[in-house]
Amino acid sequence: MKICIIAEGSYPYVTGGVSSWIQTLITNMPEYEFIIYAIGAEKKAKGKFKYKLPSNIVHIEEIFFDDFPDEEEKWGHVYHLTMEEREAFKSLLDSNDPDWNTLLSVLSGDKIDSAIHFLKSKDFFDIVHEICLEKYDQVPFTEMFWSLRSMILPLFLCMKHPVPKADLYHSVSTGYAGIIGSLGKHFYKKPFILTEHGIYTREREEEIIKARWVKGYFKDLWIQYFYNLSNGAYSLADQVITLFQRNKEIQVELGCPIKKISIIPNGVNAEDFLHISKRESGESKGINIGAIVRVVPIKDIKTMIQSFALVKEEIKDAKFYIMGPIEEDEEYYEECIQLVENLKVKDVIFTGEVNVKDYIKNMDVLVLSSISEGQPLVLLEGMACKKPFVATDVGNCRGILMGEQDDLGRAGVVVPVMQYVEMSRAIIQLCRDEKLREKMGAVGKERVIGFYSKKQFIEQYQQLYKDMVNNKWLV
């Protein structure tokens, strides 16, 4: 069996999270061959993989949003779209119910030779003009034209890029990856699985609301566009996998048919962490607080830093280790460094990308301050090491730490998003109470062993893959 995994903005260019999940899935299924269809933002990342690729990855297809074909200027071409095709393109831009079957057909066929050429065509110009007349007569036409063009260019580039042939397509998010999975299904008549870790549309919506590059009257347009991408993937997927109950409820609210959705939680092998659960006896005294995290805005490193500044006032011998890559968003990393300097807080250590196992054994408390998450593997790995957490109330963090299927007790403390005062109070409480740390650590490890095992996670996906290729996937 050959499986095409479609990943947007993650594997194999970025470590942690979804990328770790993909690496684990592939390395534990040596009986299958895998193709990676990797969607990235910038061509400079081409071939720069953060992982040693397993031997059962037989091909990597890379596509980047800034890698435009070198094509001559060809403005004003007429493609002679049918009325159905024209309405399908219009529906993508100005409705909440695009005609994806027609869009997939026309964009995967030979009628439109190039994404760039189509967006310079008279057909596209006329569609935008019609939308402006109907709904946006107060918006300058040139602004609308170039905004819509930039909005859908990445999608059209992806959809005109060849999709490798496989027995099954598996997208690990909605968005562009979800549409490519749908395209693989449409083109080769093969099954399509969608696994959604976080809720893609909610994350894009947050980014757009905060974005300075999107003018106010275009924000709703962009947000609806991303909802359209996700709804397209939901409608065309044969099976939708989520990681926990709350995500399932949100997917249903967003329009995914409930009969398609199954829950397969993440899993870790607790035995991999047996030898690192205790702090080294030779380690210096004091409290070590750690965060295993990429230094990017969605992880909200600044709230961590602000909370530690308050912790440091109370726990003088505390140190804070931020363990993870810093190069993914260098501007944000510099802002974090500047914040440390402005707060004049000492003992904040950015380790960069390291072998976390070398550090985690010496941590007393672990912290996660994300604005958005799915079901963080870092929580499960830290709990397997018997480390208590302070985490924001996002994704499945509350369920993991408090327990959804057991009455074992708390494995940490949950605090509101972006509330550094509450976070600092929780950290100080754990720093001052060694017995509480030990109790929460023990609960966490027991919960991981009982409900979040890697063996169960892999076995469920193995069975799902078998069912899909044997046509047991029809719903």
CSV table of all heavy atoms in Angstrom, one decimal, residues 338-381:
chain,number,residue,atom,x,y,z
A,338,GLN,N,14.0,41.0,23.5
A,338,GLN,CA,13.9,42.4,23.9
A,338,GLN,C,13.0,42.5,25.1
A,338,GLN,O,13.2,43.3,26.0
A,338,GLN,CB,13.3,43.2,22.7
A,338,GLN,CG,13.3,44.7,23.0
A,338,GLN,CD,14.6,45.3,23.2
A,338,GLN,OE1,15.5,45.1,22.3
A,338,GLN,NE2,14.9,46.0,24.3
A,339,LEU,N,11.9,41.6,25.2
A,339,LEU,CA,11.1,41.6,26.3
A,339,LEU,C,11.8,41.2,27.6
A,339,LEU,O,11.6,41.8,28.7
A,339,LEU,CB,9.9,40.7,26.1
A,339,LEU,CG,8.9,40.6,27.2
A,339,LEU,CD1,8.2,41.9,27.5
A,339,LEU,CD2,7.8,39.5,26.9
A,340,VAL,N,12.6,40.2,27.5
A,340,VAL,CA,13.5,39.8,28.6
A,340,VAL,C,14.3,40.9,29.1
A,340,VAL,O,14.4,41.2,30.3
A,340,VAL,CB,14.3,38.6,28.2
A,340,VAL,CG1,15.3,38.3,29.3
A,340,VAL,CG2,13.5,37.4,27.9
A,341,GLU,N,14.9,41.7,28.2
A,341,GLU,CA,15.8,42.8,28.5
A,341,GLU,C,15.0,43.9,29.2
A,341,GLU,O,15.4,44.5,30.1
A,341,GLU,CB,16.5,43.3,27.3
A,341,GLU,CG,17.5,42.3,26.8
A,341,GLU,CD,18.2,42.7,25.5
A,341,GLU,OE1,17.9,43.9,25.0
A,341,GLU,OE2,19.0,42.0,24.9
A,342,ASN,N,13.8,44.2,28.6
A,342,ASN,CA,13.0,45.3,29.1
A,342,ASN,C,12.5,45.0,30.5
A,342,ASN,O,12.4,45.9,31.4
A,342,ASN,CB,11.8,45.5,28.2
A,342,ASN,CG,12.2,46.1,26.8
A,342,ASN,OD1,13.3,46.6,26.7
A,342,ASN,ND2,11.3,46.0,25.9
A,343,LEU,N,12.2,43.7,30.8
A,343,LEU,CA,11.7,43.3,32.1
A,343,LEU,C,12.8,43.2,33.1
A,343,LEU,O,12.6,43.0,34.3
A,343,LEU,CB,10.9,42.0,32.0
A,343,LEU,CG,9.6,42.1,31.3
A,343,LEU,CD1,9.0,40.7,31.1
A,343,LEU,CD2,8.6,43.0,32.0
A,344,LYS,N,14.1,43.2,32.6
A,344,LYS,CA,15.3,43.0,33.4
A,344,LYS,C,15.2,41.7,34.2
A,344,LYS,O,15.6,41.7,35.4
A,344,LYS,CB,15.5,44.2,34.3
A,344,LYS,CG,15.7,45.5,33.5
A,344,LYS,CD,15.9,46.7,34.5
A,344,LYS,CE,16.1,48.0,33.7
A,344,LYS,NZ,16.3,49.1,34.5
A,345,VAL,N,14.6,40.7,33.6
A,345,VAL,CA,14.5,39.4,34.3
A,345,VAL,C,15.7,38.5,34.0
A,345,VAL,O,16.1,38.4,32.8
A,345,VAL,CB,13.2,38.7,33.9
A,345,VAL,CG1,13.0,38.5,32.4
A,345,VAL,CG2,13.0,37.4,34.7
A,346,LYS,N,16.3,37.9,35.0
A,346,LYS,CA,17.5,37.1,34.8
A,346,LYS,C,17.1,35.6,34.7
A,346,LYS,O,16.0,35.2,35.1
A,346,LYS,CB,18.5,37.3,35.9
A,346,LYS,CG,19.0,38.7,36.0
A,346,LYS,CD,20.0,38.8,37.1
A,346,LYS,CE,20.6,40.3,37.1
A,346,LYS,NZ,21.6,40.4,38.3
A,347,ASP,N,18.0,34.8,34.3
A,347,ASP,CA,17.9,33.3,34.2
A,347,ASP,C,16.8,32.8,33.3
A,347,ASP,O,16.1,31.8,33.6
A,347,ASP,CB,17.6,32.8,35.7
A,347,ASP,CG,18.8,33.0,36.6
A,347,ASP,OD1,19.9,32.9,36.1
A,347,ASP,OD2,18.5,33.4,37.8
A,348,VAL,N,16.6,33.5,32.2
A,348,VAL,CA,15.8,33.0,31.1
A,348,VAL,C,16.7,32.5,30.0
A,348,VAL,O,17.5,33.3,29.5
A,348,VAL,CB,14.9,34.1,30.5
A,348,VAL,CG1,14.1,33.6,29.3
A,348,VAL,CG2,13.9,34.7,31.5
A,349,ILE,N,16.7,31.2,29.7
A,349,ILE,CA,17.6,30.6,28.9
A,349,ILE,C,16.9,30.0,27.6
A,349,ILE,O,16.1,29.1,27.7
A,349,ILE,CB,18.4,29.4,29.6
A,349,ILE,CG1,19.1,29.9,30.8
A,349,ILE,CG2,19.4,28.8,28.6
A,349,ILE,CD1,18.5,29.6,32.1
A,350,PHE,N,17.2,30.6,26.5
A,350,PHE,CA,16.8,30.0,25.2
A,350,PHE,C,17.8,29.0,24.7
A,350,PHE,O,18.9,29.4,24.4
A,350,PHE,CB,16.6,31.1,24.1
A,350,PHE,CG,15.4,32.0,24.4
A,350,PHE,CD1,15.5,33.1,25.2
A,350,PHE,CD2,14.2,31.8,23.7
A,350,PHE,CE1,14.4,34.0,25.4
A,350,PHE,CE2,13.1,32.6,23.9
A,350,PHE,CZ,13.2,33.7,24.7
A,351,THR,N,17.5,27.7,24.8
A,351,THR,CA,18.5,26.7,24.4
A,351,THR,C,18.6,26.5,22.9
A,351,THR,O,19.6,25.9,22.5
A,351,THR,CB,18.1,25.4,25.1
A,351,THR,OG1,16.9,24.9,24.4
A,351,THR,CG2,17.8,25.5,26.6
A,352,GLY,N,17.6,27.0,22.2
A,352,GLY,CA,17.6,26.6,20.8
A,352,GLY,C,17.2,25.1,20.6
A,352,GLY,O,16.7,24.5,21.6
A,353,GLU,N,17.3,24.6,19.5
A,353,GLU,CA,16.9,23.2,19.3
A,353,GLU,C,17.9,22.2,19.9
A,353,GLU,O,19.1,22.3,19.6
A,353,GLU,CB,16.8,22.9,17.8
A,353,GLU,CG,16.1,21.6,17.5
A,353,GLU,CD,15.6,21.5,16.0
A,353,GLU,OE1,15.9,22.5,15.2
A,353,GLU,OE2,15.1,20.4,15.6
A,354,VAL,N,17.4,21.4,20.8
A,354,VAL,CA,18.2,20.5,21.6
A,354,VAL,C,17.5,19.2,21.7
A,354,VAL,O,16.4,19.0,21.4
A,354,VAL,CB,18.5,21.1,23.0
A,354,VAL,CG1,19.3,22.3,23.0
A,354,VAL,CG2,17.2,21.3,23.8
A,355,ASN,N,18.3,18.2,22.2
A,355,ASN,CA,17.7,16.9,22.6
A,355,ASN,C,17.0,17.2,23.9
A,355,ASN,O,17.6,17.3,25.0
A,355,ASN,CB,18.7,15.8,22.7
A,355,ASN,CG,18.1,14.5,23.0
A,355,ASN,OD1,17.0,14.4,23.4
A,355,ASN,ND2,18.9,13.4,22.9
A,356,VAL,N,15.7,17.3,23.9
A,356,VAL,CA,14.9,17.6,25.0
A,356,VAL,C,15.1,16.7,26.2
A,356,VAL,O,15.1,17.0,27.4
A,356,VAL,CB,13.4,17.7,24.7
A,356,VAL,CG1,12.6,18.0,25.9
A,356,VAL,CG2,13.2,18.9,23.7
A,357,LYS,N,15.4,15.4,25.9
A,357,LYS,CA,15.6,14.4,26.9
A,357,LYS,C,16.8,14.7,27.8
A,357,LYS,O,16.8,14.3,28.9
A,357,LYS,CB,15.7,13.0,26.3
A,357,LYS,CG,14.4,12.5,25.7
A,357,LYS,CD,14.6,11.1,25.2
A,357,LYS,CE,13.3,10.5,24.6
A,357,LYS,NZ,13.4,9.2,24.1
A,358,ASP,N,17.7,15.5,27.2
A,358,ASP,CA,18.9,15.9,28.0
A,358,ASP,C,18.5,16.9,29.1
A,358,ASP,O,19.3,17.1,30.1
A,358,ASP,CB,20.0,16.4,27.1
A,358,ASP,CG,20.6,15.3,26.2
A,358,ASP,OD1,20.4,14.1,26.6
A,358,ASP,OD2,21.1,15.7,25.2
A,359,TYR,N,17.4,17.6,28.9
A,359,TYR,CA,17.0,18.7,29.8
A,359,TYR,C,15.9,18.4,30.7
A,359,TYR,O,15.8,18.8,31.8
A,359,TYR,CB,16.7,20.0,28.9
A,359,TYR,CG,17.8,20.7,28.4
A,359,TYR,CD1,18.5,20.3,27.2
A,359,TYR,CD2,18.2,21.9,29.0
A,359,TYR,CE1,19.6,21.0,26.7
A,359,TYR,CE2,19.3,22.7,28.5
A,359,TYR,CZ,20.0,22.2,27.3
A,359,TYR,OH,21.0,22.9,26.8
A,360,ILE,N,14.9,17.7,30.1
A,360,ILE,CA,13.6,17.5,30.8
A,360,ILE,C,13.8,16.8,32.2
A,360,ILE,O,13.0,17.1,33.1
A,360,ILE,CB,12.6,16.8,29.9
A,360,ILE,CG1,11.2,17.0,30.5
A,360,ILE,CG2,12.9,15.3,29.8
A,360,ILE,CD1,10.1,16.5,29.5
A,361,LYS,N,14.8,16.0,32.3
A,361,LYS,CA,14.9,15.2,33.6
A,361,LYS,C,15.2,16.2,34.7
A,361,LYS,O,15.0,15.9,35.9
A,361,LYS,CB,16.1,14.2,33.4
A,361,LYS,CG,17.4,14.8,33.0
A,361,LYS,CD,18.4,13.7,32.7
A,361,LYS,CE,19.7,14.3,32.1
A,361,LYS,NZ,20.6,13.2,31.6
A,362,ASN,N,15.8,17.4,34.4
A,362,ASN,CA,16.2,18.3,35.4
A,362,ASN,C,15.1,19.4,35.6
A,362,ASN,O,15.4,20.4,36.4
A,362,ASN,CB,17.5,18.9,35.1
A,362,ASN,CG,18.6,17.9,35.2
A,362,ASN,OD1,18.6,17.1,36.1
A,362,ASN,ND2,19.6,18.0,34.3
A,363,MET,N,14.0,19.3,35.0
A,363,MET,CA,12.9,20.3,35.2
A,363,MET,C,12.0,19.9,36.4
A,363,MET,O,11.7,18.7,36.6
A,363,MET,CB,12.0,20.4,33.9
A,363,MET,CG,12.8,20.9,32.7
A,363,MET,SD,13.4,22.5,32.9
A,363,MET,CE,15.2,22.2,32.7
A,364,ASP,N,11.5,20.9,37.1
A,364,ASP,CA,10.6,20.7,38.2
A,364,ASP,C,9.2,21.0,37.8
A,364,ASP,O,8.2,20.3,38.2
A,364,ASP,CB,11.0,21.6,39.4
A,364,ASP,CG,12.4,21.3,39.9
A,364,ASP,OD1,12.5,20.2,40.5
A,364,ASP,OD2,13.3,22.1,39.8
A,365,VAL,N,9.0,21.9,36.9
A,365,VAL,CA,7.7,22.3,36.4
A,365,VAL,C,7.8,22.6,34.9
A,365,VAL,O,8.8,23.2,34.4
A,365,VAL,CB,7.1,23.6,37.1
A,365,VAL,CG1,5.8,24.0,36.5
A,365,VAL,CG2,7.1,23.4,38.6
A,366,LEU,N,6.8,22.1,34.1
A,366,LEU,CA,6.7,22.4,32.7
A,366,LEU,C,5.6,23.4,32.4
A,366,LEU,O,4.5,23.3,33.1
A,366,LEU,CB,6.6,21.2,31.9
A,366,LEU,CG,7.8,20.2,31.9
A,366,LEU,CD1,7.5,18.9,31.1
A,366,LEU,CD2,9.1,20.9,31.4
A,367,VAL,N,5.8,24.2,31.4
A,367,VAL,CA,4.8,25.3,31.1
A,367,VAL,C,4.4,25.2,29.6
A,367,VAL,O,5.3,25.0,28.7
A,367,VAL,CB,5.3,26.7,31.4
A,367,VAL,CG1,4.3,27.8,31.1
A,367,VAL,CG2,5.8,26.8,32.9
A,368,LEU,N,3.1,25.4,29.3
A,368,LEU,CA,2.7,25.6,27.9
A,368,LEU,C,1.7,26.7,27.9
A,368,LEU,O,0.7,26.7,28.6
A,368,LEU,CB,1.9,24.3,27.4
A,368,LEU,CG,1.5,24.3,26.0
A,368,LEU,CD1,2.7,24.2,25.0
A,368,LEU,CD2,0.6,23.1,25.7
A,369,SER,N,2.0,27.8,27.1
A,369,SER,CA,1.2,29.0,27.1
A,369,SER,C,0.5,29.3,25.7
A,369,SER,O,0.2,30.4,25.4
A,369,SER,CB,2.1,30.2,27.5
A,369,SER,OG,3.1,30.4,26.5
A,370,SER,N,0.3,28.2,24.9
A,370,SER,CA,-0.2,28.4,23.6
A,370,SER,C,-1.5,29.1,23.5
A,370,SER,O,-2.4,29.0,24.4
A,370,SER,CB,-0.4,27.0,22.9
A,370,SER,OG,0.9,26.4,22.8
A,371,ILE,N,-1.7,29.8,22.4
A,371,ILE,CA,-3.0,30.5,22.1
A,371,ILE,C,-4.0,29.5,21.5
A,371,ILE,O,-5.2,29.6,21.6
A,371,ILE,CB,-2.8,31.7,21.2
A,371,ILE,CG1,-2.0,32.8,21.9
A,371,ILE,CG2,-4.1,32.3,20.7
A,371,ILE,CD1,-1.5,33.9,21.0
A,372,SER,N,-3.4,28.5,20.8
A,372,SER,CA,-4.2,27.5,20.1
A,372,SER,C,-3.4,26.2,20.1
A,372,SER,O,-2.2,26.2,19.9
A,372,SER,CB,-4.5,27.9,18.7
A,372,SER,OG,-5.3,26.9,18.0
A,373,GLU,N,-4.1,25.1,20.3
A,373,GLU,CA,-3.5,23.7,20.3
A,373,GLU,C,-4.5,22.7,19.9
A,373,GLU,O,-5.7,23.0,19.9
A,373,GLU,CB,-3.0,23.3,21.7
A,373,GLU,CG,-1.7,24.0,22.1
A,373,GLU,CD,-0.4,23.4,21.4
A,373,GLU,OE1,-0.6,22.4,20.7
A,373,GLU,OE2,0.7,24.0,21.6
A,374,GLY,N,-4.1,21.5,19.6
A,374,GLY,CA,-4.9,20.4,19.4
A,374,GLY,C,-4.8,19.5,20.7
A,374,GLY,O,-5.4,19.9,21.7
A,375,GLN,N,-4.1,18.5,20.5
A,375,GLN,CA,-3.8,17.6,21.7
A,375,GLN,C,-2.3,17.5,21.8
A,375,GLN,O,-1.7,16.6,21.2
A,375,GLN,CB,-4.5,16.2,21.5
A,375,GLN,CG,-4.5,15.3,22.7
A,375,GLN,CD,-5.1,14.0,22.4
A,375,GLN,OE1,-4.6,13.2,21.6
A,375,GLN,NE2,-6.3,13.7,23.0
A,376,PRO,N,-1.7,18.4,22.5
A,376,PRO,CA,-0.2,18.5,22.4
A,376,PRO,C,0.5,17.3,22.9
A,376,PRO,O,0.4,16.8,24.0
A,376,PRO,CB,0.1,19.7,23.4
A,376,PRO,CG,-1.2,20.4,23.6
A,376,PRO,CD,-2.3,19.3,23.4
A,377,LEU,N,1.4,16.8,22.0
A,377,LEU,CA,2.3,15.7,22.3
A,377,LEU,C,3.2,16.0,23.5
A,377,LEU,O,3.6,15.2,24.3
A,377,LEU,CB,3.1,15.3,21.1
A,377,LEU,CG,2.4,14.3,20.1
A,377,LEU,CD1,3.2,14.3,18.8
A,377,LEU,CD2,2.2,13.0,20.7
A,378,VAL,N,3.6,17.3,23.5
A,378,VAL,CA,4.5,17.7,24.6
A,378,VAL,C,3.9,17.5,26.0
A,378,VAL,O,4.7,17.2,26.9
A,378,VAL,CB,5.0,19.2,24.4
A,378,VAL,CG1,3.8,20.2,24.6
A,378,VAL,CG2,6.1,19.6,25.3
A,379,LEU,N,2.6,17.7,26.1
A,379,LEU,CA,2.0,17.4,27.4
A,379,LEU,C,2.1,15.9,27.7
A,379,LEU,O,2.5,15.6,28.9
A,379,LEU,CB,0.5,17.8,27.4
A,379,LEU,CG,0.1,19.1,28.2
A,379,LEU,CD1,0.8,20.3,27.5
A,379,LEU,CD2,-1.4,19.2,28.3
A,380,LEU,N,1.8,15.1,26.8
A,380,LEU,CA,1.9,13.6,27.0
A,380,LEU,C,3.3,13.2,27.3
A,380,LEU,O,3.6,12.4,28.2
A,380,LEU,CB,1.4,12.9,25.8
A,380,LEU,CG,-0.1,13.2,25.4
A,380,LEU,CD1,-0.5,12.4,24.2
A,380,LEU,CD2,-1.0,12.9,26.5
A,381,GLU,N,4.3,13.7,26.6
A,381,GLU,CA,5.7,13.4,26.8
A,381,GLU,C,6.2,13.8,28.2
A,381,GLU,O,6.8,13.1,28.9
A,381,GLU,CB,6.6,13.9,25.7
A,381,GLU,CG,6.3,13.3,24.4
A,381,GLU,CD,7.0,14.0,23.2
A,381,GLU,OE1,7.5,15.1,23.4
A,381,GLU,OE2,7.1,13.4,22.1
